[in-house]
Amino acid sequence: MGISAAELEKAMAGVEAFNLRSSEAVKTLPPFRLGKFLIEVSSFHRGLVSNGTAIPEHQHPNYEFSFCSEGMFTAFCDELKVVCSPDNKNIFFLPPATLHRKTHAKADYIHAASMVLMINGVDEAGQQLIPRFQEYVLKKKCTFRLTPNLESIFSEIRHQAEHHTFLSRDVIASLIQSFLTLFFQQNFASLMEPAPVPESSPEAISRRCRIADIKLSVVTRMNAKTSLKDFEGIFKLSGRHLNRIFKKETGQSLMHYYLLLKLKNAQNLLSDTDIPVSEIANSLHFKSAAYFSMFFRKHCHCSPSEYRAIHHPSGR
């Protein structure tokens, strides 16, 4: 039995929402460093392709990786053949200027996600890392894994896009960065760090995955009232231990990271909307508007109203 018109309409609406919100988020995401690499995200989008569709041979000027959440696609590149489906959880990761083609099958409509990246980097001697990076990608036959942690982050991006709130843009931007951070740590740790052996060990990767999980948990709770005790319950760890492992990896405590994300969201709301300061304080779960103003002044050296007067397009 094929997909109904109502199901197709719902699927298309989900794809459109994802692409719209993701595009907005990518515009706010500046280039960021992952170890020795400098990453710039050009796009992150989903596609809905009918069964049997063949995309002819083509190439991209930047890196691209794709994976499939429903149905299946097969990518052909030189002598490589990479099959991506929800069952094998493969990611097809392709260097720039590489000719390839794709075919789609196994469902009425194939759901695929693709991200386009610009990547640069140099090692300690000032030598370009990119030739070694591309060599490593090709050695892996352009095939990587969509791990459960990556899949969880992608699912949360979809959820944020389809259940849009005024925080969604910044949440999605943070999730995209978390997705890439985890992907690089899992697959390219030996190229990212000066000491490849310990940094690419299973223990190091497990530790980084845990930090990515914690960051994801923080980001997805930005519009809820959350305390350190809530995170203790989520991760079954004491607040002291959570803060210690988080600070070791990031240089800041868990709650400091949480409050700085709140501050960033507050700045966006002040500059991009006309929502009253008291409502912003309430939506971000500060205990009072006065406490919010005091917190904001401490970190931004001006009041919320003064910040809005400077950064809001209307100057008010």
Side-chain angles (χ1 to χ4, degrees), residues 196-214:
V197 175
E199 291 302 329
S200 59
S201 67
E203 294 80 8
I205 292 173
S206 175
R207 185 178 69 245
R208 286 164 167 166
C209 289
R210 171 55 65 90
I211 296 301
D213 279 345
I214 294 172

Side-chain angles (χ1 to χ4, degrees), residues 169 265-277 280 296 302-316:
R169 182 189 65 183
N265 285 326
Q267 290 173 328
N268 289 336
L269 291 170
L270 289 166
S271 62
D272 298 345
T273 76
D274 295 316
I275 299 172
V277 171
I280 292 175
F296 194 93
C302 64
S303 71
S305 298
E306 290 167 343
Y307 184 91
R308 172 169 274 168
I310 296 169
H311 296 281
H312 195 282
S314 67
R316 56 181 181 179

Side-chain angles (χ1 to χ4, degrees), residues 14-28:
V15 169
E16 289 174 3
F18 182 98
N19 292 343
L20 173 62
R21 304 307 173 196
S22 177
S23 175
E24 292 172 348
V26 165
K27 289 176 183 176
T28 71

Side-chain angles (χ1 to χ4, degrees), residues 147-209:
T147 62
N149 285 320
L150 290 174
E151 200 166 19
S152 174
I153 296 174
F154 177 67
S155 295
E156 185 58 34
I157 294 174
R158 287 185 61 173
H159 175 79
Q160 290 290 333
E162 293 170 11
H163 301 83
H164 179 62
T165 70
F166 61 83
L167 294 176
S168 292
R169 182 189 65 183
D170 297 307
V171 171
I172 291 172
S174 181
L175 289 169
I176 290 173
Q177 186 168 348
S178 295
F179 185 100
L180 286 170
T181 300
L182 187 56
F183 177 73
F184 270 73
Q185 287 171 344
Q186 289 175 340
N187 296 290
F188 307 110
S190 62
L191 294 176
M192 291 172 65
E193 305 291 348
V197 175
E199 291 302 329
S200 59
S201 67
E203 294 80 8
I205 292 173
S206 175
R207 185 178 69 245
R208 286 164 167 166
C209 289

